[in-house]
Every structure is written in structure tokens, then in C-alpha cells.
Amino acid sequence: QVQLQQWGAGLLKPSETLSLTCAVYGGSFSGYYWSWIRQPPGKGLEWIGEINHSGSANYNPSLKSRVTISIDTPNNQFSLRLSSVTAADTAVYYCARDSAATEYWGQGTLVTVSS
Amino acid sequence: QSALTQPASVSGSPGQSITISCTGTSSDVGGYNLVSWYQQHPGKAPKLMIYEVSNRPSGASNRFSGSKSGNTASLTISGLQAEDEADYYCCSYAGSSTVVFGGGTKLTVL
């Protein structure tokens, strides 16, 4: 059974960098894209980006200038960094397997940006 | 890249059928058979209900079905049950290795 477990800082100040990591347990790590998706409180889902095992990444054009997704294949982990955060980046952040048919999700991490 | 358009809310009585629409453009919904649907209960991660327009993953009830016509995809839930009350999101491949979600639809079971 595939499980995704994520962690990272939950409270940031404006202009800081958000950093989250997701570990994958079970299943194949190399055969899929691994993605990050976020959901502001009370709002809808927004795709942030994805990466495959070889490090090829794709990003949401609206966030591309601030986002970096990286991968640690030997440890079956991948990470998200979002720079220069503002209150608008306050959201639950999910890691997930695949982007277009996402069957496996992490538990979600609420990241709050507040001064 | 704009969000796909979904009705904000739909409702139905137990046993009835409802349909949720998801309208995009020829650059996303209309251009690819890569539309998926997710169910999300409060405080929970989304659950995949339909992928590639009309395929159901194992674990998704056969009361859920998907279809597409032109730039609009649809999710139909038949035999509504109280447990179906949730938020529903569509999602489509949007070209250039990007993905776009709909704004979400709140389903109320009366």
C-alpha cells in the first residue's frame, strides 16, 4: 500500500521561504510523477507542480517564479520550496502521486503566513 | 491558465441522481481525455472518483460515472446517499505539462 507522509514548518512570516518534504512508502517511486497541490482555507484546489524520479519538474505558470520542487530518489522523498511567501500563500499543502489522476495523497500540512 | 468552471452548489434527495458540470476550453477539457474528479469531505484529503473522463479507480462506488462533450465534462452520481455530501472538484490536463482544477462544487443531500 502506498503511503505519503509529509512534514514542514506550519507558521511563516511574510517574505520567508516555505519548505515541505514528503516521504513515500510502498510501491514504485521511479515510475511516477510526484506532485504538490494546495488549498487555501475554504477555497478550491490549486496545482503547484510535479517532479519525476530523474528530476524533471513542471510548474504552475502562476507560481513558477517562486517554486522549486526537488527529489531525493535514494530516500524516496521529494520537497517543495516556495519563496517570498505572503498571506495569500496560506493554505493546506498536500503532496500526492501523479497530477492528473491522483490516487494517493499525503495527510496535508496547514501553512499559515502571518506577521 | 484559468480554473475550470463548476457550479458552486448542487443538491438532491436520497435516491435521486445529480450531475455536476465542469467547463473548460479546447486547451484543457476539450483537448485531452484526461479529466478526473475528486470527492472531498471536510478536513480530509481529496479522493479520486473518476480518471481519464470515465474510468473508476478501485474503491470508488459504481454509482459515480463521468463523461465529456466538447469542452464540458460531467460527473453523475446516481442513487444519492447521505455519505455523498461533500465537495467535488474536476481536474484536467491543460497542455505543456500542466494541470488545472475546477473551483469546486458543494453537493448537499437534502
Side-chain angles (χ1 to χ4, degrees):
Chain A
Q1 178 69 326
V2 178
Q3 293 186 341
L4 286 74
Q5 184 171 348
Q6 57 185 100
W7 64 89
L11 180 61
L12 296 173
K13 291 182 168 53
S15 80
E16 292 185 333
T17 296
L18 178 157
S19 181
L20 298 173
T21 298
C22 183
V24 180
Y25 302 97
S28 169
F29 188 71
S30 298
Y32 297 93
Y33 270 86
W34 301 93
S35 62
W36 290 96
I37 294 161
R38 71 180 182 178
Q39 185 171 35
K43 296 187 178 181
L45 300 167
E46 180 179 31
W47 181 74
I48 299 171
E50 64 180 8
I51 192 167
N52 68 6
H53 72 282
S54 62
S56 176
N58 302 301
Y59 300 118
N60 185 326
S62 68
L63 297 169
K64 188 173 184 177
S65 63
R66 298 192 293 129
V67 173
T68 302
I69 297 176
S70 58
I71 197 159
D72 177 5
T73 301
N75 290 306
N76 286 10
Q77 295 179 4
F78 62 107
S79 298
L80 169 70
R81 288 175 62 85
L82 179 67
S83 64
S84 304
V85 298
T86 70
D89 296 310
T90 293
V92 174
Y93 287 75
Y94 293 100
C95 61
R97 193 182 82 174
D98 285 327
S99 291
T102 313
E103 198 164 5
Y104 298 102
W105 298 71
Q107 77 274 24
T109 299
L110 174 61
V111 177
T112 301
V113 180
S114 175
S115 55
Chain B
Q1 189 185 55
S2 300
L4 307 176
T5 300
Q6 299 181 233
S9 63
V10 298
S11 63
S13 299
Q16 287 185 331
S17 294
I18 64 94
T19 297
I20 300 172
S21 62
C22 170
T23 301
T25 69
S26 58
S27 296
D28 39 62
V29 174
Y32 311 92
N33 288 323
L34 291 172
V35 176
S36 52
W37 288 91
Y38 298 88
Q39 176 191 66
Q40 187 180 35
H41 288 109
K44 301 293 187 181
K47 177 183 177 182
L48 180 66
M49 305 304 288
I50 296 288
Y51 67 98
E52 292 175 3
V53 175
S54 59
N55 294 309
R56 260 190 323 274
S58 59
S61 170
N62 59 10
R63 297 185 296 104
F64 289 76
S65 61
S67 63
K68 190 185 84 167
S69 177
N71 296 337
T72 298
S74 299
L75 173 72
T76 298
I77 308 173
S78 59
L80 265 183
Q81 299 180 1
E83 67 204 50
D84 299 331
E85 185 163 295
D87 294 326
Y88 290 85
Y89 294 92
C90 62
C91 176
S92 175
Y93 180 70
S96 301
S97 301
T98 65
V99 163
V100 63
F101 281 94
T105 298
K106 181 177 180 59
L107 169 62
T108 300
V109 179
L110 302 170

mmCIF file of all heavy atoms in Angstrom, chain A residues 37 39 43-45 47 50 58-61 94 99-103 105-106, chain B residues 1 36 38 40 44-46 48 51 57-58 89 91 97-99 101-103:
data_model
loop_
_atom_site.group_PDB
_atom_site.id
_atom_site.type_symbol
_atom_site.label_atom_id
_atom_site.label_comp_id
_atom_site.label_asym_id
_atom_site.label_seq_id
_atom_site.Cartn_x
_atom_site.Cartn_y
_atom_site.Cartn_z
ATOM 1 N N ILE A 37 0.023 20.049 -4.277
ATOM 2 C CA ILE A 37 -1.266 20.695 -4.515
ATOM 3 C C ILE A 37 -1.626 21.432 -3.243
ATOM 4 O O ILE A 37 -1.368 20.939 -2.143
ATOM 5 C CB ILE A 37 -2.336 19.632 -4.856
ATOM 6 C CG1 ILE A 37 -1.991 18.959 -6.199
ATOM 7 C CG2 ILE A 37 -3.729 20.243 -4.918
ATOM 8 C CD1 ILE A 37 -2.666 17.624 -6.414
ATOM 9 N N GLN A 39 -4.535 24.125 -0.983
ATOM 10 C CA GLN A 39 -5.938 24.507 -0.829
ATOM 11 C C GLN A 39 -6.052 25.575 0.245
ATOM 12 O O GLN A 39 -5.972 25.274 1.443
ATOM 13 C CB GLN A 39 -6.779 23.286 -0.461
ATOM 14 C CG GLN A 39 -8.265 23.557 -0.390
ATOM 15 C CD GLN A 39 -9.066 22.280 -0.233
ATOM 16 O OE1 GLN A 39 -8.638 21.332 0.424
ATOM 17 N NE2 GLN A 39 -10.243 22.255 -0.836
ATOM 18 N N LYS A 43 -11.361 27.351 0.297
ATOM 19 C CA LYS A 43 -11.311 27.546 -1.160
ATOM 20 C C LYS A 43 -10.954 26.243 -1.873
ATOM 21 O O LYS A 43 -10.866 25.180 -1.258
ATOM 22 C CB LYS A 43 -10.299 28.652 -1.492
ATOM 23 C CG LYS A 43 -10.693 30.013 -0.935
ATOM 24 C CD LYS A 43 -9.761 31.100 -1.425
ATOM 25 C CE LYS A 43 -10.197 32.458 -0.899
ATOM 26 N NZ LYS A 43 -9.310 33.557 -1.374
ATOM 27 N N GLY A 44 -10.773 26.338 -3.187
ATOM 28 C CA GLY A 44 -10.545 25.162 -4.007
ATOM 29 C C GLY A 44 -9.088 24.743 -4.091
ATOM 30 O O GLY A 44 -8.200 25.346 -3.499
ATOM 31 N N LEU A 45 -8.882 23.675 -4.855
ATOM 32 C CA LEU A 45 -7.553 23.095 -5.017
ATOM 33 C C LEU A 45 -6.772 23.839 -6.097
ATOM 34 O O LEU A 45 -7.335 24.282 -7.102
ATOM 35 C CB LEU A 45 -7.689 21.615 -5.420
ATOM 36 C CG LEU A 45 -8.425 20.724 -4.421
ATOM 37 C CD1 LEU A 45 -8.766 19.387 -5.070
ATOM 38 C CD2 LEU A 45 -7.582 20.511 -3.173
ATOM 39 N N TRP A 47 -3.092 23.310 -8.280
ATOM 40 C CA TRP A 47 -1.904 22.519 -8.604
ATOM 41 C C TRP A 47 -0.677 23.415 -8.566
ATOM 42 O O TRP A 47 -0.663 24.492 -9.169
ATOM 43 C CB TRP A 47 -2.083 21.903 -9.980
ATOM 44 C CG TRP A 47 -0.952 21.049 -10.448
ATOM 45 C CD1 TRP A 47 -0.631 19.786 -10.014
ATOM 46 C CD2 TRP A 47 0.003 21.373 -11.460
ATOM 47 N NE1 TRP A 47 0.461 19.316 -10.704
ATOM 48 C CE2 TRP A 47 0.874 20.263 -11.598
ATOM 49 C CE3 TRP A 47 0.216 22.482 -12.289
ATOM 50 C CZ2 TRP A 47 1.927 20.232 -12.505
ATOM 51 C CZ3 TRP A 47 1.259 22.459 -13.201
ATOM 52 C CH2 TRP A 47 2.107 21.343 -13.300
ATOM 53 N N GLU A 50 5.005 19.360 -10.200
ATOM 54 C CA GLU A 50 5.323 17.947 -10.098
ATOM 55 C C GLU A 50 6.758 17.699 -10.501
ATOM 56 O O GLU A 50 7.393 18.541 -11.156
ATOM 57 C CB GLU A 50 4.384 17.135 -10.996
ATOM 58 C CG GLU A 50 4.557 17.450 -12.478
ATOM 59 C CD GLU A 50 3.645 16.662 -13.405
ATOM 60 O OE1 GLU A 50 2.732 15.951 -12.927
ATOM 61 O OE2 GLU A 50 3.859 16.758 -14.637
ATOM 62 N N ASN A 58 7.755 20.168 -13.535
ATOM 63 C CA ASN A 58 6.806 21.041 -14.224
ATOM 64 C C ASN A 58 6.086 21.872 -13.169
ATOM 65 O O ASN A 58 5.773 21.366 -12.094
ATOM 66 C CB ASN A 58 5.779 20.223 -15.007
ATOM 67 C CG ASN A 58 6.433 19.316 -16.025
ATOM 68 O OD1 ASN A 58 7.137 19.778 -16.910
ATOM 69 N ND2 ASN A 58 6.215 18.021 -15.902
ATOM 70 N N TYR A 59 5.815 23.152 -13.498
ATOM 71 C CA TYR A 59 5.251 24.046 -12.514
ATOM 72 C C TYR A 59 4.023 24.779 -13.043
ATOM 73 O O TYR A 59 3.875 25.012 -14.244
ATOM 74 C CB TYR A 59 6.288 25.089 -12.088
ATOM 75 C CG TYR A 59 7.537 24.512 -11.463
ATOM 76 C CD1 TYR A 59 8.785 24.701 -12.055
ATOM 77 C CD2 TYR A 59 7.471 23.785 -10.279
ATOM 78 C CE1 TYR A 59 9.939 24.187 -11.483
ATOM 79 C CE2 TYR A 59 8.620 23.253 -9.700
ATOM 80 C CZ TYR A 59 9.842 23.457 -10.306
ATOM 81 O OH TYR A 59 10.986 22.929 -9.736
ATOM 82 N N ASN A 60 3.154 25.170 -12.120
ATOM 83 C CA ASN A 60 2.050 26.062 -12.434
ATOM 84 C C ASN A 60 2.644 27.399 -12.878
ATOM 85 O O ASN A 60 3.435 27.996 -12.141
ATOM 86 C CB ASN A 60 1.175 26.243 -11.193
ATOM 87 C CG ASN A 60 -0.074 27.057 -11.448
ATOM 88 O OD1 ASN A 60 -0.071 27.987 -12.249
ATOM 89 N ND2 ASN A 60 -1.142 26.712 -10.763
ATOM 90 N N PRO A 61 2.272 27.866 -14.072
ATOM 91 C CA PRO A 61 2.862 29.125 -14.559
ATOM 92 C C PRO A 61 2.695 30.294 -13.589
ATOM 93 O O PRO A 61 3.560 31.169 -13.518
ATOM 94 C CB PRO A 61 2.103 29.369 -15.869
ATOM 95 C CG PRO A 61 1.682 28.019 -16.325
ATOM 96 C CD PRO A 61 1.374 27.257 -15.068
ATOM 97 N N TYR A 94 -0.702 19.731 0.111
ATOM 98 C CA TYR A 94 -0.720 18.279 0.000
ATOM 99 C C TYR A 94 0.386 17.813 -0.941
ATOM 100 O O TYR A 94 0.592 18.408 -2.002
ATOM 101 C CB TYR A 94 -2.038 17.783 -0.588
ATOM 102 C CG TYR A 94 -3.267 17.972 0.247
ATOM 103 C CD1 TYR A 94 -4.146 19.022 0.001
ATOM 104 C CD2 TYR A 94 -3.598 17.067 1.258
ATOM 105 C CE1 TYR A 94 -5.309 19.185 0.748
ATOM 106 C CE2 TYR A 94 -4.756 17.217 2.008
ATOM 107 C CZ TYR A 94 -5.601 18.275 1.749
ATOM 108 O OH TYR A 94 -6.746 18.418 2.492
ATOM 109 N N SER A 99 -0.437 13.826 -11.065
ATOM 110 C CA SER A 99 -1.162 15.099 -11.048
ATOM 111 C C SER A 99 -2.522 14.978 -11.696
ATOM 112 O O SER A 99 -3.472 15.601 -11.256
ATOM 113 C CB SER A 99 -0.345 16.173 -11.774
ATOM 114 O OG SER A 99 0.809 16.519 -11.057
ATOM 115 N N ALA A 100 -2.638 14.196 -12.759
ATOM 116 C CA ALA A 100 -3.891 14.133 -13.497
ATOM 117 C C ALA A 100 -4.838 13.056 -12.978
ATOM 118 O O ALA A 100 -6.010 13.074 -13.307
ATOM 119 C CB ALA A 100 -3.619 13.915 -14.976
ATOM 120 N N ALA A 101 -4.360 12.142 -12.197
ATOM 121 C CA ALA A 101 -5.213 11.092 -11.620
ATOM 122 C C ALA A 101 -4.583 10.712 -10.293
ATOM 123 O O ALA A 101 -3.904 9.704 -10.165
ATOM 124 C CB ALA A 101 -5.307 9.890 -12.556
ATOM 125 N N THR A 102 -4.851 11.544 -9.301
ATOM 126 C CA THR A 102 -4.112 11.481 -8.048
ATOM 127 C C THR A 102 -4.801 10.576 -7.055
ATOM 128 O O THR A 102 -5.743 10.976 -6.381
ATOM 129 C CB THR A 102 -3.969 12.901 -7.479
ATOM 130 O OG1 THR A 102 -3.538 13.767 -8.532
ATOM 131 C CG2 THR A 102 -2.960 12.947 -6.363
ATOM 132 N N GLU A 103 -4.324 9.354 -6.961
ATOM 133 C CA GLU A 103 -4.974 8.371 -6.103
ATOM 134 C C GLU A 103 -4.415 8.374 -4.690
ATOM 135 O O GLU A 103 -5.093 7.978 -3.744
ATOM 136 C CB GLU A 103 -4.828 6.980 -6.732
ATOM 137 C CG GLU A 103 -5.797 5.964 -6.180
ATOM 138 C CD GLU A 103 -5.918 4.734 -7.053
ATOM 139 O OE1 GLU A 103 -5.182 4.611 -8.060
ATOM 140 O OE2 GLU A 103 -6.757 3.873 -6.725
ATOM 141 N N TRP A 105 -2.513 10.544 -1.601
ATOM 142 C CA TRP A 105 -2.280 11.883 -1.074
ATOM 143 C C TRP A 105 -1.599 11.805 0.289
ATOM 144 O O TRP A 105 -1.823 10.850 1.050
ATOM 145 C CB TRP A 105 -3.612 12.620 -0.892
ATOM 146 C CG TRP A 105 -4.389 12.849 -2.154
ATOM 147 C CD1 TRP A 105 -5.040 11.901 -2.899
ATOM 148 C CD2 TRP A 105 -4.617 14.095 -2.804
ATOM 149 N NE1 TRP A 105 -5.651 12.492 -3.987
ATOM 150 C CE2 TRP A 105 -5.414 13.837 -3.944
ATOM 151 C CE3 TRP A 105 -4.233 15.406 -2.539
ATOM 152 C CZ2 TRP A 105 -5.822 14.848 -4.820
ATOM 153 C CZ3 TRP A 105 -4.648 16.420 -3.405
ATOM 154 C CH2 TRP A 105 -5.434 16.141 -4.527
ATOM 155 N N GLY A 106 -0.824 12.834 0.607
ATOM 156 C CA GLY A 106 -0.340 12.977 1.958
ATOM 157 C C GLY A 106 -1.454 13.481 2.860
ATOM 158 O O GLY A 106 -2.567 13.761 2.400
ATOM 159 N N GLN B 1 -3.727 30.303 -17.779
ATOM 160 C CA GLN B 1 -4.318 29.077 -17.255
ATOM 161 C C GLN B 1 -5.388 29.447 -16.231
ATOM 162 O O GLN B 1 -5.075 29.753 -15.079
ATOM 163 C CB GLN B 1 -3.230 28.202 -16.612
ATOM 164 C CG GLN B 1 -3.692 26.819 -16.236
ATOM 165 C CD GLN B 1 -2.624 26.035 -15.498
ATOM 166 O OE1 GLN B 1 -2.109 26.480 -14.491
ATOM 167 N NE2 GLN B 1 -2.285 24.859 -15.993
ATOM 168 N N SER B 36 -10.294 14.285 -14.496
ATOM 169 C CA SER B 36 -10.528 13.488 -13.301
ATOM 170 C C SER B 36 -11.454 14.237 -12.359
ATOM 171 O O SER B 36 -11.654 15.447 -12.480
ATOM 172 C CB SER B 36 -9.205 13.148 -12.595
ATOM 173 O OG SER B 36 -8.443 14.315 -12.384
ATOM 174 N N TYR B 38 -12.686 14.485 -8.103
ATOM 175 C CA TYR B 38 -12.326 14.199 -6.732
ATOM 176 C C TYR B 38 -13.482 14.543 -5.803
ATOM 177 O O TYR B 38 -14.184 15.539 -6.007
ATOM 178 C CB TYR B 38 -11.090 14.999 -6.307
ATOM 179 C CG TYR B 38 -9.868 14.662 -7.126
ATOM 180 C CD1 TYR B 38 -9.598 15.339 -8.306
ATOM 181 C CD2 TYR B 38 -9.011 13.642 -6.728
ATOM 182 C CE1 TYR B 38 -8.506 15.017 -9.079
ATOM 183 C CE2 TYR B 38 -7.907 13.310 -7.496
ATOM 184 C CZ TYR B 38 -7.663 14.000 -8.666
ATOM 185 O OH TYR B 38 -6.574 13.665 -9.437
ATOM 186 N N GLN B 40 -14.211 15.425 -1.766
ATOM 187 C CA GLN B 40 -13.504 15.855 -0.562
ATOM 188 C C GLN B 40 -14.481 16.127 0.567
ATOM 189 O O GLN B 40 -15.323 17.016 0.460
ATOM 190 C CB GLN B 40 -12.659 17.100 -0.829
ATOM 191 C CG GLN B 40 -11.775 17.478 0.353
ATOM 192 C CD GLN B 40 -10.943 18.718 0.102
ATOM 193 O OE1 GLN B 40 -11.369 19.645 -0.569
ATOM 194 N NE2 GLN B 40 -9.717 18.735 0.660
ATOM 195 N N LYS B 44 -10.563 16.437 5.158
ATOM 196 C CA LYS B 44 -9.922 15.249 4.591
ATOM 197 C C LYS B 44 -9.231 15.590 3.280
ATOM 198 O O LYS B 44 -9.544 16.575 2.629
ATOM 199 C CB LYS B 44 -10.958 14.156 4.346
ATOM 200 C CG LYS B 44 -11.711 13.714 5.592
ATOM 201 C CD LYS B 44 -10.801 13.014 6.575
ATOM 202 C CE LYS B 44 -11.588 12.418 7.735
ATOM 203 N NZ LYS B 44 -10.681 11.751 8.726
ATOM 204 N N ALA B 45 -8.286 14.721 2.896
ATOM 205 C CA ALA B 45 -7.677 14.852 1.581
ATOM 206 C C ALA B 45 -8.680 14.433 0.508
ATOM 207 O O ALA B 45 -9.574 13.622 0.766
ATOM 208 C CB ALA B 45 -6.424 13.984 1.495
ATOM 209 N N PRO B 46 -8.559 14.995 -0.682
ATOM 210 C CA PRO B 46 -9.447 14.582 -1.778
ATOM 211 C C PRO B 46 -9.301 13.092 -2.083
ATOM 212 O O PRO B 46 -8.249 12.501 -1.864
ATOM 213 C CB PRO B 46 -8.959 15.431 -2.954
ATOM 214 C CG PRO B 46 -8.311 16.624 -2.326
ATOM 215 C CD PRO B 46 -7.656 16.086 -1.085
ATOM 216 N N LEU B 48 -9.914 10.323 -5.255
ATOM 217 C CA LEU B 48 -10.135 10.167 -6.686
ATOM 218 C C LEU B 48 -11.360 9.307 -6.938
ATOM 219 O O LEU B 48 -11.436 8.171 -6.450
ATOM 220 C CB LEU B 48 -8.896 9.539 -7.331
ATOM 221 C CG LEU B 48 -8.944 9.304 -8.841
ATOM 222 C CD1 LEU B 48 -8.993 10.611 -9.599
ATOM 223 C CD2 LEU B 48 -7.738 8.455 -9.295
ATOM 224 N N TYR B 51 -11.167 8.980 -13.338
ATOM 225 C CA TYR B 51 -9.980 9.450 -14.060
ATOM 226 C C TYR B 51 -10.142 9.177 -15.546
ATOM 227 O O TYR B 51 -10.953 8.326 -15.944
ATOM 228 C CB TYR B 51 -8.705 8.819 -13.506
ATOM 229 C CG TYR B 51 -8.584 7.323 -13.745
ATOM 230 C CD1 TYR B 51 -7.836 6.831 -14.801
ATOM 231 C CD2 TYR B 51 -9.208 6.406 -12.899
ATOM 232 C CE1 TYR B 51 -7.720 5.468 -15.023
ATOM 233 C CE2 TYR B 51 -9.104 5.044 -13.114
ATOM 234 C CZ TYR B 51 -8.356 4.574 -14.173
ATOM 235 O OH TYR B 51 -8.248 3.220 -14.388
ATOM 236 N N PRO B 57 -11.494 4.283 -10.388
ATOM 237 C CA PRO B 57 -10.457 3.502 -9.701
ATOM 238 C C PRO B 57 -11.120 2.497 -8.770
ATOM 239 O O PRO B 57 -12.297 2.642 -8.391
ATOM 240 C CB PRO B 57 -9.692 4.565 -8.909
ATOM 241 C CG PRO B 57 -10.683 5.658 -8.694
ATOM 242 C CD PRO B 57 -11.599 5.644 -9.877
ATOM 243 N N SER B 58 -10.365 1.478 -8.425
ATOM 244 C CA SER B 58 -10.899 0.526 -7.452
ATOM 245 C C SER B 58 -11.123 1.282 -6.147
ATOM 246 O O SER B 58 -10.328 2.117 -5.751
ATOM 247 C CB SER B 58 -9.910 -0.622 -7.228
ATOM 248 O OG SER B 58 -8.675 -0.121 -6.773
ATOM 249 N N TYR B 89 -14.438 18.234 -7.045
ATOM 250 C CA TYR B 89 -13.553 19.019 -7.894
ATOM 251 C C TYR B 89 -13.242 18.256 -9.171
ATOM 252 O O TYR B 89 -12.933 17.053 -9.127
ATOM 253 C CB TYR B 89 -12.235 19.314 -7.179
ATOM 254 C CG TYR B 89 -12.372 20.205 -5.975
ATOM 255 C CD1 TYR B 89 -12.558 19.665 -4.709
ATOM 256 C CD2 TYR B 89 -12.321 21.590 -6.103
ATOM 257 C CE1 TYR B 89 -12.701 20.485 -3.599
ATOM 258 C CE2 TYR B 89 -12.453 22.415 -4.998
ATOM 259 C CZ TYR B 89 -12.647 21.854 -3.747
ATOM 260 O OH TYR B 89 -12.779 22.677 -2.656
ATOM 261 N N CYS B 91 -10.677 18.150 -12.591
ATOM 262 C CA CYS B 91 -9.276 18.452 -12.861
ATOM 263 C C CYS B 91 -8.978 18.012 -14.288
ATOM 264 O O CYS B 91 -9.467 16.962 -14.730
ATOM 265 C CB CYS B 91 -8.395 17.690 -11.874
ATOM 266 S SG CYS B 91 -6.634 17.870 -12.132
ATOM 267 N N SER B 97 2.477 20.195 -19.959
ATOM 268 C CA SER B 97 2.761 19.503 -18.698
ATOM 269 C C SER B 97 2.212 20.230 -17.482
ATOM 270 O O SER B 97 2.863 20.301 -16.435
ATOM 271 C CB SER B 97 4.281 19.295 -18.539
ATOM 272 O OG SER B 97 4.805 18.531 -19.602
ATOM 273 N N THR B 98 1.037 20.797 -17.633
ATOM 274 C CA THR B 98 0.390 21.465 -16.503
ATOM 275 C C THR B 98 -1.005 20.890 -16.290
ATOM 276 O O THR B 98 -1.586 20.239 -17.162
ATOM 277 C CB THR B 98 0.270 22.979 -16.709
ATOM 278 O OG1 THR B 98 -0.603 23.229 -17.826
ATOM 279 C CG2 THR B 98 1.623 23.617 -16.960
ATOM 280 N N VAL B 99 -1.535 21.142 -15.120
ATOM 281 C CA VAL B 99 -2.830 20.626 -14.703
ATOM 282 C C VAL B 99 -3.625 21.781 -14.118
ATOM 283 O O VAL B 99 -3.065 22.681 -13.495
ATOM 284 C CB VAL B 99 -2.625 19.505 -13.652
ATOM 285 C CG1 VAL B 99 -3.898 19.231 -12.881
ATOM 286 C CG2 VAL B 99 -2.124 18.235 -14.314
ATOM 287 N N PHE B 101 -7.405 22.753 -11.969
ATOM 288 C CA PHE B 101 -8.571 22.278 -11.223
ATOM 289 C C PHE B 101 -9.776 23.192 -11.466
ATOM 290 O O PHE B 101 -9.629 24.354 -11.849
ATOM 291 C CB PHE B 101 -8.283 22.274 -9.715
ATOM 292 C CG PHE B 101 -7.463 21.108 -9.252
ATOM 293 C CD1 PHE B 101 -6.080 21.230 -9.143
ATOM 294 C CD2 PHE B 101 -8.053 19.901 -8.913
ATOM 295 C CE1 PHE B 101 -5.302 20.163 -8.708
ATOM 296 C CE2 PHE B 101 -7.287 18.832 -8.481
ATOM 297 C CZ PHE B 101 -5.922 18.966 -8.379
ATOM 298 N N GLY B 102 -10.942 22.660 -11.206
ATOM 299 C CA GLY B 102 -12.151 23.459 -11.166
ATOM 300 C C GLY B 102 -12.278 24.129 -9.806
ATOM 301 O O GLY B 102 -11.560 23.801 -8.861
ATOM 302 N N GLY B 103 -13.221 25.060 -9.702
ATOM 303 C CA GLY B 103 -13.391 25.799 -8.462
ATOM 304 C C GLY B 103 -14.088 25.024 -7.358
ATOM 305 O O GLY B 103 -14.085 25.451 -6.199
#
